[in-house]
Amino acid sequence: MLRWAVIFLVVALIAALFGFGGIAGASAGIAQILFFIFIALFVISLVVNAVNGRS
C-alpha cells in the first residue's frame, strides 16, 4: 500500500511539473489517503502483535 502511495505521489509531482493541476491535485489526494490507510493498518498490526506476543 505504501508503494501505491509513492507511485501516486510521483504521478502528482510529474503532473504538476507539466501544468496539469487537476490531475496533480487528484493524485496527491489519493496518495495522501493511501498513506493514512497504510499508517492506520501499520499501527493496528503493531497493537495486535503486541497483544498476541504477551501470552
Side-chain angles (χ1 to χ4, degrees), residues 16-49:
L17 180 70
F18 289 119
F20 298 108
I23 296 171
S27 295
I30 292 170
Q32 186 176 12
I33 290 169
L34 287 174
F35 180 73
F36 285 126
I37 290 172
F38 169 77
I39 292 296
L41 290 175
F42 179 69
V43 169
I44 290 169
S45 174
L46 286 177
V47 169
V48 168
N49 284 334

Side-chain angles (χ1 to χ4, degrees), residues 2-32 34:
L2 187 59
R3 181 179 182 184
W4 281 105
V6 171
I7 288 171
F8 275 106
L9 180 63
V10 169
V11 168
L13 291 174
I14 291 172
L17 180 70
F18 289 119
F20 298 108
I23 296 171
S27 295
I30 292 170
Q32 186 176 12
L34 287 174

